[in-house]
Amino acid sequence: MKPLTAAQIRESFVNASQGEAERVPMPGLHEVMWDDREYLGWRDPQAHQRGYLVFWRGDAAVGIIVRASEFGLQPGISAMCSLCRITQPSAQVTLFSAPRAGQAGRDGNTVGTYICDDLACSHLIRILPPASEMQPSRDELLAGRISTLVGRVEAFADDVMRLA
């Protein structure tokens, strides 16, 4: 992922007003290992139900504000993130909703999906199983995971930006 500045992040949000975007707390951008990310995701430390996803689509940064559900999944079961497709204990996967872009979002229309609670899919896809003759090489496996994660993040953004 190409590095982002705070100004680029604030300008990227497709489902927020300019005022909302200006109030978004920035993560420690100087600490981000950009080469190991497909998107930048973080939770708001002051309002933990808020989260933010920002990724590059071509030469444009696209940002989405999401909100975590107040209700968790049933304890003791497994759940799968819809972005990275990694199965985890239910407490580590959360239903996030995002207001749609434009008038639809201002009218209260949202899109929801289950995502890793810490929004750290980029880290999880890099945890690879031990090498085996039965599966692709580690490089091929990681490349496939990266490609599918990027595709799912873009599809989620497309749903958010769909005006109807």
Side-chain angles (χ1 to χ4, degrees), residues 129-138 141:
S132 165
E133 293 178 17
M134 303 292 288
Q135 61 189 4
S137 72
R138 293 174 68 77
L141 185 58

Side-chain angles (χ1 to χ4, degrees), residues 4 11 15 34 42 54 81 85-86 101 105 112 119 139 146-147:
L4 288 158
E11 293 170 5
N15 64 342
W34 297 102
W42 73 101
V54 182
C81 170
R85 297 280 169 99
I86 293 177
L119 304 173
D139 290 343
I146 288 170
S147 174

Side-chain angles (χ1 to χ4, degrees), residues 19-149:
E20 288 172 316
E22 289 173 2
R23 291 187 299 274
V24 169
M26 291 294 117
L29 298 177
H30 62 285
E31 298 171 349
V32 176
M33 297 184 324
W34 297 102
D35 291 339
D36 292 338
R37 293 191 183 248
E38 288 62 52
Y39 70 87
L40 178 63
W42 73 101
R43 300 285 291 266
D44 189 325
Q46 301 301 317
H48 193 67
Q49 284 184 294
R50 284 191 148 224
Y52 311 94
L53 303 174
V54 182
F55 68 98
W56 287 101
R57 179 174 269 172
D59 289 333
V62 176
I64 301 169
I65 294 179
V66 295
R67 180 177 176 84
S69 172
E70 297 174 18
F71 305 102
L73 295 170
Q74 178 182 352
I77 64 169
S78 295
M80 182 182 290
C81 170
S82 64
L83 299 182
C84 66
R85 297 280 169 99
I86 293 177
T87 304
Q88 303 182 70
S90 60
Q92 295 174 354
V93 177
T94 299
L95 176 62
F96 284 92
S97 61
R100 287 198 186 268
Q103 187 61 47
R106 289 188 292 276
D107 290 343
N109 294 323
T110 61
V111 176
T113 193
Y114 287 93
I115 305 174
C116 292
D117 185 67
D118 59 3
L119 304 173
C121 297
S122 290
H123 298 297
L124 291 177
I125 65 168
R126 286 172 168 74
I127 301 170
L128 301 174
S132 165
E133 293 178 17
M134 303 292 288
Q135 61 189 4
S137 72
R138 293 174 68 77
D139 290 343
E140 291 173 320
L141 185 58
L142 180 57
R145 286 182 173 192
I146 288 170
S147 174
T148 55
L149 175 58

